[in-house]
Amino acid sequence: MTQTLEPVVHLDRTPQERIDTWLREFESALAAHDITRATNAFLTDSYWRDLTAFTWNIKTVEGHEQIADMLTARLADTRPSNFATTEPPTDDGDGVVSAFVAFETAVGRCEGHVRIRPDDSGPDGEGQHAGVDKAWTLLTTMQELKGHEESAGQNRPLGAVHGSDPDTRSWAEKKADEEQALGQSAQPYVLVIGGGQGGIALGARLRQLGVPSVVVDRHDRPGDQWRKRYKSLCLHDPVWYDHLPYLPFPDNWPVFAPKDKIGDWLEFYTKVMEVPYWSKTTCLSAEYDEAEARWTVVVDRDGERLTLHPTQLVLATGMSGKPAVPTVPGQDVFAGEQHHSSAHPGPDGYLGKKVVVIGSNNSAHDICKALVDNGVDATMVQRSSTHIVKSDSLRSIALGSLYSEEAVASGMTTKKADLTFASLPYRIMHQFQVPVYDQIREQDKDFYDRLEAAGFQLDFGDDDSGLFMKYLRRGSGYYIDVGASELIADGTIKLVHGQLDHLTENSVVLTDGTEIDADVVVYATGYGSMNGWAADLMGQEVADRVGKVWGLGSETTKDPGPWEGEQRNMWKPTQQPGLWFHGGNLHQSRHYSLYLALQLKARYEGIPTPVYGLADVHHLS
């Protein structure tokens, strides 16, 4: 009879003792360059997500083989040391203990997050190492470069001149001279194309890091990207999720900010953070010189044609890419007005007209709600099922532990929330999301029943993992309900299903023969990949070299495989030297702008940045 030993789960040890033991063993193995020992500090099914600290990339490695390969390539150069917790670890239940950690590399100061749990089997499957804590997930992030720290906190600039100074110019005069020289006698190292929240956040980071850069945008003023959208538009994410770097929203900021208020904040932020920003500027062309390792970019700045030579080019034109407008027969004979949702002016001027909105995601719902609220006849054409989640439920159940007033009161900072969110590898994130949306579905059962009774086609994603995974995988297919769903349920917003077949002079006709009278057609039909902007500016060859932007390779709807484990081409090096993509929602613009800015700063300062795991191209658009 064989005796089976019960695993030791360290119930007699505190979370701090368990984390400290793991950190000591892991650091000792790294210091000894013992790849096997360091790899064995991880569970067989484990995940190490690195944001620039080890890989000079945004990269997740999964399991022992990938972890060992990454360490073999990067450990000698990285030279990590001084691992320690930054606050007391927490017991997450089921034997899992987690902690925020800090450490250093040869060139940077870093922070991260680790989850450990007892290993329930030994290497030969017989359990002789059972009970030994090993890492389940590890997040490592670069936070600053040694010798190139931001001028903040103890390092903030003095501002005033104490004593004599041969430069007698005032702050305003120095700033004016700098602006006058930029693009003329002084070239930007980084050119950021697109001045929405993404471009502005990155511009602020680069400014604080002392990287010569300029953000250019075609609109008249910063924030016009929001001001010029339909007037009912407001943020669907809560304020705690949406802060920009350095300057959080004030405590009296509304939970869901109206679009004009956001526009004003972006303009204010650009000015206060001294972001070099050119309005009324359109990029006409961009060509990369392999020999010179720089770009030649021709821009039209308010009627003046200029040629810039940045080393790094960042497309911050929005993660959704170019508006996608379907081509259907009859568009040339339709007598009414047609436009994409991105150009929708709002309900004013449509009273007495019949508006048909093609699509059933966020923009379609917002537009239909504003129309019927203003007495306009609106019909929504649902072409495929849509995920719906009530805003209040999303805020309280899905985001509440990290991004809420209650989270702030409990000591959760924006930085800690961002690191916690980033610490969940995309491979297993859906496992954490499914129970969240199961809870939401149960809580809001009556709401969903009413919607389905009205004929609305619902889904919760391919694997019932809800909104976040749909957003990360495809960036579409959902609506955060702020009132439109009730208007569909009660019939105020008319609903039909089907695919567009053609337009007549005064109607929309679906493939099943359904004909809908229309004076206005709004195509709320989404957007293409961001590399569509690259194709327009740099040519299809460059766009194809980069490939599809966004998505994880999950092999779910609109996210073809193979698995990549990170957002394709976002915030990291691409197959086109000197070309980067930056965007996403306000949360992503805030969080990932740091890692992109540090990658650019390192290159500006001549710090070696050997990239591990540069992604292959599997899809062109």
Side-chain angles (χ1 to χ4, degrees), residues 516-536:
I516 312 163
D517 291 342
D519 301 300
V520 180
V521 177
V522 181
Y523 297 103
T525 44
Y527 300 82
S529 171
M530 279 180 72
N531 74 350
W533 297 118
D536 285 352

Side-chain angles (χ1 to χ4, degrees), residues 47-49 51 98-100 112-115 136-141 416-426 428-429 432 591-592:
Y47 309 87
W48 183 344
R49 188 174 192 222
L51 309 183
S98 64
F100 293 102
H113 184 277
V114 63
R115 293 180 182 88
W136 176 30
T137 69
L138 176 64
L139 171 73
T140 49
T141 75
K416 286 165 57 178
D418 287 350
L419 289 176
T420 302
F421 196 78
S423 73
L424 282 178
Y426 291 134
I428 60 173
M429 184 177 284
F432 291 81
H591 182 61
Y592 289 101

